[in-house]
Structures are given as C-alpha cells and as structure tokens.
Amino acid sequence: MSVLYGCDCQFRYVKQQNGENPKGENAMSIQTQINKFHGVILQNLPEIPEDIMQRWIENPRSLQQFLSGLVPSVNSSATEFKVFKPLKLRAGMDAKSYRANIKGRKVDGQRMDIGDYANDILGKPEFTVVTEETEIDLVNVSVKELTGKNKAPLKEVFAQAMARGLQLCPNQVGPELRLQYEDQPEGEWLIIGMEPITDSDGYLKLFHVERHGDVLWLYAHYDFPDSPWHGSYRLVFVLPRK
C-alpha cells in the first residue's frame, strides 16, 4: 500500500558569500522564497510507501542524506568540461537541404547517410533551424560521468547536465554534427542531448550520429525518459560560452 501524507519540511538556505546571514527585508524575502519552495515540494511529492516514510520518521538523518543527494553542488560548473567540438549552425537550412547535403556525401572513402527514423523526425514541425548563423561549443560526456552511476534514467542525465551548467542542444545539432564530424572514429555513436521530437508512430526520438564501417550515419534514438540508460552511453550537450 502506498499513501501520501502532508509533511512539514524545513530547509536551510546557504549563507551569502560574505559569510553573513541576511537580515531585515532580505531575510524576509528569503523566508518567503523558502515557504514557496515548501509549497512546490508538497504539490509535487510522489506517493511514498509507508515503510519508507516510517524509516525516515525514525531516522531523519537518512532522509537528510537522501535529500542532500538531490541538490546540485553550489560549486558545480560547466568549466569542468572540455570542448569536444565547436559547431557552426547554419541559417537557411531545412529538412530538404539537409537530406540533399548528407545523403550520399563522400568523405575520404566513406559516405554519409540518414536512417529512416532520423529522416522521419527531420521532417517534423518540431525540427527547427537558426535564423542567423551561430557557433556553439559541444561537450561529449557519458551517463556515468554525469550521474556517477552505471545506469540512470535519461531524465536524471538531463537534470544533472543542467545542474552542472550544460545546456540542451538545438535539434539542428543532429544533422549539422553529422555533416561537420567527418573524422568520427569507427564504432562511436553519440546521442544528441536535445528536446525529443515525436515521430510518425508517436514515439519520442533523439538524433544520434554514428560511424559504422564506411558509413557516417545520422540516426534517431528512442527517448524513454524513465528507462535506465547504460553508464557508457555518451551524449552531446552545449557548453555555454562566457
């Protein structure tokens, strides 16, 4: 049996960088923010099994440790990541022009191609391109590097990436990375960390680029946000420029 009870949680705010506790109106503002945060938590709590609730009631420290693991470190920073590849997002492109540029393109004895699923989501309205040429920096990071786990759901991977200062890729990164990543090593496949696009069968998909034999592929990967992803899976995110 799973039940949900209301709870009265108390959260401590972090001291200001100068080491002083806020006073007066500033303290009241922070307390208001804390109260609002309490309300948001209560509204979004999942159902909690009775045995787990009782364990936390009897051992509040275990609850504190659990909650601490959910809060990103205030020192987390995108500066810990190295640029994998600068990428130029071109304006004026669309699904038709990407298909024409990728399919059959010859690169040092290899060729480029587009898988059926990638071709499908490339033509969906959710696929968008920039209106002005833009250059971004990409990082290439594994599920384990982001979460510290051998398996983790995609929603946790994305949350950890955002908490550490990375950003989701525009979905245009998929076909552009395929075109510009001509020297991709054999057997490597990289999933684009992006908002998923719904395919013609109603499934959520993410672009991914892969080299298999002499073919440099633009593929699409199923996005199951709650299913465990292996720690070795590698994703591409945007590293913001300063």
Side-chain angles (χ1 to χ4, degrees):
M1 174 182 177
S2 295
V3 294
L4 177 63
Y5 291 104
C7 66
D8 183 13
C9 304
Q10 293 295 323
F11 289 85
R12 293 171 294 172
Y13 53 78
V14 179
K15 287 185 178 181
Q16 295 177 327
Q17 289 185 352
N18 61 10
E20 297 179 358
N21 287 320
K23 298 178 181 179
E25 292 184 2
N26 193 25
M28 292 178 63
S29 175
I30 291 176
Q31 186 59 52
T32 299
Q33 183 183 34
I34 292 173
N35 291 339
K36 289 181 179 179
F37 186 46
H38 288 175
V40 171
I41 290 174
L42 290 173
Q43 290 172 6
N44 291 278
L45 274 177
E47 289 191 345
I48 303 174
E50 288 180 310
D51 60 331
I52 293 179
M53 286 194 292
Q54 187 60 38
R55 189 187 315 154
W56 284 341
I57 290 170
E58 296 173 355
N59 185 7
R61 184 169 179 79
S62 66
L63 173 59
Q64 183 185 50
Q65 291 174 342
F66 172 77
L67 293 174
S68 296
L70 300 179
V71 180
S73 168
V74 293
N75 295 320
S76 293
S77 170
T79 57
E80 64 189 288
F81 299 104
K82 294 182 179 180
V83 174
F84 153 64
K85 188 173 183 63
L87 192 77
K88 186 176 293 184
L89 299 177
R90 292 176 291 171
M93 300 292 286
D94 57 17
K96 184 177 180 179
S97 55
Y98 275 121
R99 289 173 181 134
N101 275 268
I102 294 174
K103 285 190 172 184
R105 185 185 184 94
K106 303 294 184 181
V107 182
D108 296 330
Q110 303 169 70
R111 64 182 176 86
M112 292 187 181
D113 208 343
I114 303 176
D116 291 340
Y117 293 135
N119 190 57
D120 180 37
I121 64 173
L122 196 58
K124 296 301 179 184
E126 299 97 316
F127 177 73
T128 57
V129 299
V130 295
T131 55
E132 295 183 2
E133 185 173 290
T134 306
E135 188 168 291
I136 58 176
D137 291 328
L138 301 179
V139 297
N140 166 0
V141 61
S142 73
V143 168
K144 186 167 186 178
E145 288 167 348
L146 283 173
T147 67
K149 301 177 181 178
N150 291 324
K151 288 185 179 180
L154 184 62
K155 62 183 181 182
E156 181 180 345
V157 176
F158 277 16
Q160 286 296 324
M162 302 305 101
R164 293 168 70 173
L166 301 178
Q167 297 174 354
L168 293 181
C169 295
N171 52 39
Q172 187 181 359
V173 167
E176 277 295 352
L177 183 59
R178 177 63 291 151
L179 281 170
Q180 298 179 42
Y181 193 19
E182 296 180 344
D183 58 347
Q184 184 173 17
E186 163 66 24
E188 182 188 63
W189 56 290
L190 302 174
I191 302 164
I192 309 303
M194 54 180 259
E195 290 289 346
I197 297 176
T198 304
D199 71 6
S200 295
D201 296 319
Y203 293 106
L204 298 176
K205 296 283 179 60
L206 308 173
F207 285 119
H208 87 258
V209 296
E210 177 178 348
R211 178 184 168 188
H212 183 69
D214 63 352
V215 184
L216 295 164
W217 286 99
L218 174 65
Y219 277 142
H221 194 91
Y222 281 97
D223 169 21
F224 296 119
D226 295 309
S227 298
W229 284 43
H230 196 276
S232 63
Y233 285 12
R234 302 196 70 85
L235 296 96
V236 173
F237 293 98
V238 174
L239 179 66
R241 293 183 173 182
K242 294 183 178 180

